[in-house]
């Protein structure tokens, strides 16, 4: 009898353990009830105070999980198993997610605030009429320079980076499309060029730049530039704003002949479950006061024109991060290229990195 009781207790303990494990698994996958919003976001890409404000104001609880690349985000959502309600892909990735049938269209009747968006920053090729996406942040690719070593007049155009004066002085972001863009633009070509011969010529031009390249890295650029260990960098405007905040001698330039225009956007994955929470959050984030607060925290440009008016004048008028209309005309968004073309970019970029002089 005692043995039977012991067995029963053991079974009960196992069942209890499985119940706890199942509850924990559900929480880890974000499925924690109707009063929940499961947000899949880039790291440190929203003001935590806004999360708290949203939760207090609406009663919804936000579960946030982060990713470090568009590709990692795409793979996890494609695999399924985790019920994300909102995620934040970049422009070209929205095209890819649409093709893979991973997105739900927005119900515009439930949205309040789209009228706040800058007309120049909506209805783009990657999502016409913003059927699936709401712009969250936007920016450019450009040149960061240190005025202790470099004159402003020396770095207003991409071609100037090839000046022999800048030997061993330039940091490049470790991204094939973003390194090929300056070479292609300086050749009068599109950042979405796919002709193999043209790309080979662009790679040859990058080989000529290699004596000036100090390193091809990622986040390390911010440390090198902030500590005056490099004179020039090619990086995104969002990263540049962080660098400039840490070193008064740094400046950011978007060459007027052209560059990349990028967007990060809020979208609803097919895995979404909590639609009331989703639209409450989207409307909350489009409120000008909240969007302005988020822009000041993150340091990236807001697409919300009403929010921009609430920013300090020094930010509103900063053409480094809010380029004028003439510069905007020459900016291009990266297209979602076919896998074979992406592979060509990556192969040529790898060759450039491996055989730098």
């Amino acid at each position: 009898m005692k043995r039977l009781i012991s067995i029963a207790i053991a079974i009960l303990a196992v069942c209890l353990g499985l119940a706890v494990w199942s509850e924990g698994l559900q929480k880890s996958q974000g499925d924690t009830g109707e009063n929940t919003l499961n947000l899949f976001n880039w790291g440190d890409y929203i003001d935590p105070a806004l999360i708290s404000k949203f939760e207090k104001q609406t009663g919804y609880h936000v579960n946030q999980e982060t990713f470090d690349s568009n590709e990692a985000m795409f793979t996890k959502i494609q695999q399924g198993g985790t019920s994300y309600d909102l995620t934040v892909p970049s422009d070209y990735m929205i095209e890819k997610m649409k093709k893979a049938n991973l997105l739900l269209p927005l119900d515009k009747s439930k949205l309040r605030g789209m009228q706040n968006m800058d007309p120049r920053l909506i209805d783009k090729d990657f999502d016409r009429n913003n059927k699936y996406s709401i712009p969250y942040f936007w920016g450019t690719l450009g040149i960061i320079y240190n005025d202790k070593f470099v004159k402003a007049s020396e770095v207003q155009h991409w071609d100037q980076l090839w000046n022999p004066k800048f030997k061993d002085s330039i940091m490049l972001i470790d991204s094939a499309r973003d390194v090929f863009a300056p070479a292609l633009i300086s050749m009068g070509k599109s950042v979405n060029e796919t002709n193999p011969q043209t790309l080979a010529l662009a790679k040859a031009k990058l080989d000529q730049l290699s004596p000036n390249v100090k390193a091809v890295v990622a986040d390390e650029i911010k440390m090198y530039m902030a500590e005056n260990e490099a004179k020039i960098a090619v990086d995104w405007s969002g990263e540049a704003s962080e660098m400039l905040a840490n070193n008064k001698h740094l400046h950011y330039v978007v060459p007027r002949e052209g560059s990349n225009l990028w967007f990060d956007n809020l979208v609803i994955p097919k895995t979404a479950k909590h639609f009331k929470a989703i639209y409450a959050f989207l409307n909350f984030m489009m409120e000008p006061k909240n969007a302005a607060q988020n822009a000041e925290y993150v340091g990236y440009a807001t697409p919300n024109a009403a929010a921009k008016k609430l920013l300090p004048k020094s930010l509103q008028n900063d053409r480094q991060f809010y380029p004028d209309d003439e510069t905007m005309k020459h900016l291009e968004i990266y297209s979602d290229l076919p896998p074979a073309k992406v592979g060509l970019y990556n192969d040529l970029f790898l060759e450039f990195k491996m055989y730098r002089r």
Side-chain angles (χ1 to χ4, degrees), residues 91-96 99 125-126 177 190-194 260-261 332-338 341-342 345:
D91 34 67
Y92 75 93
M93 185 53 66
I94 288 179
E95 289 188 86
K96 186 172 181 177
K99 291 173 186 175
D125 285 343
F126 62 86
R177 298 287 294 273
S190 167
V191 297
N192 295 309
E193 179 65 56
T194 58
N260 167 237
L261 172 66
E332 280 189 281
I333 298 169
Y334 292 139
S335 298
D336 177 37
L337 300 180
K341 300 301 183 183
V342 173
Y345 268 94

Side-chain angles (χ1 to χ4, degrees), residues 128-319:
R128 281 298 174 193
N129 299 313
N130 290 87
K131 181 178 180 180
Y132 295 94
S133 66
I134 296 173
Y136 182 63
F137 283 119
W138 69 282
T140 53
L141 179 75
I143 301 168
I144 303 105
Y145 70 94
N146 190 316
D147 64 22
K148 292 176 70 173
F149 313 110
V150 179
K151 296 177 182 178
S153 61
E154 295 177 313
V155 284
Q156 295 301 305
H157 304 282
W158 292 119
D159 255 341
Q160 292 176 298
L161 297 180
W162 275 259
N163 187 336
K165 176 181 179 178
F166 297 136
K167 183 176 181 180
D168 196 33
S169 298
I170 302 173
M171 309 291 293
L172 297 179
I173 188 66
D174 192 4
S175 164
R177 298 287 294 273
D178 294 308
V179 170
F180 268 81
L184 288 166
I185 294 167
S186 67
M187 295 164 57
K189 303 296 182 179
S190 167
V191 297
N192 295 309
E193 179 65 56
T194 58
N195 183 294
Q197 291 179 324
T198 303
L199 290 176
L201 290 173
K203 193 265 180 181
K205 182 158 189 174
L206 286 174
D207 288 339
Q208 295 170 7
L209 178 68
S210 63
N212 290 0
V213 177
K214 185 178 183 70
V216 181
V217 291
D219 284 346
E220 299 92 329
I221 288 180
K222 289 184 281 191
M223 180 272 291
Y224 275 96
M225 295 301 292
E227 297 183 7
N228 301 312
E229 293 186 20
K231 299 176 184 178
I232 300 170
V234 174
D235 207 341
W236 308 299
S237 56
E239 300 293 278
S241 79
E242 186 175 340
M243 296 181 217
L244 270 58
N246 292 320
N247 188 326
K248 66 181 181 180
H249 293 287
L250 299 182
H251 308 272
Y252 181 69
V253 176
V254 181
R256 293 179 71 85
E257 62 269 23
S259 189
N260 167 237
L261 172 66
W262 58 261
F263 292 88
D264 288 333
N265 315 267
L266 287 159
V267 300
I268 306 174
K270 279 259 178 146
T271 55
K273 290 185 177 181
H274 307 111
F275 293 96
K276 289 183 179 180
I278 288 169
Y279 285 98
F281 186 81
L282 292 175
N283 290 327
F284 176 85
M285 293 306 298
M286 283 193 286
E287 290 179 17
K289 185 177 180 180
N290 296 333
Q293 179 178 331
N294 204 33
E296 286 201 73
Y297 174 84
V298 175
Y300 284 27
T302 177
N304 190 315
K308 182 185 172 187
K309 293 178 181 178
L310 300 178
L311 295 174
K313 293 291 185 184
S314 59
L315 291 179
Q316 290 185 44
N317 301 324
D318 191 345
R319 291 192 175 182

Side-chain angles (χ1 to χ4, degrees), residues 46-55 284-285 290-291 293-294:
I46 187 170
D47 185 348
L50 284 174
I51 295 287
S52 299
K53 180 182 177 182
F54 172 76
E55 291 179 330
F284 176 85
M285 293 306 298
N290 296 333
Q293 179 178 331
N294 204 33

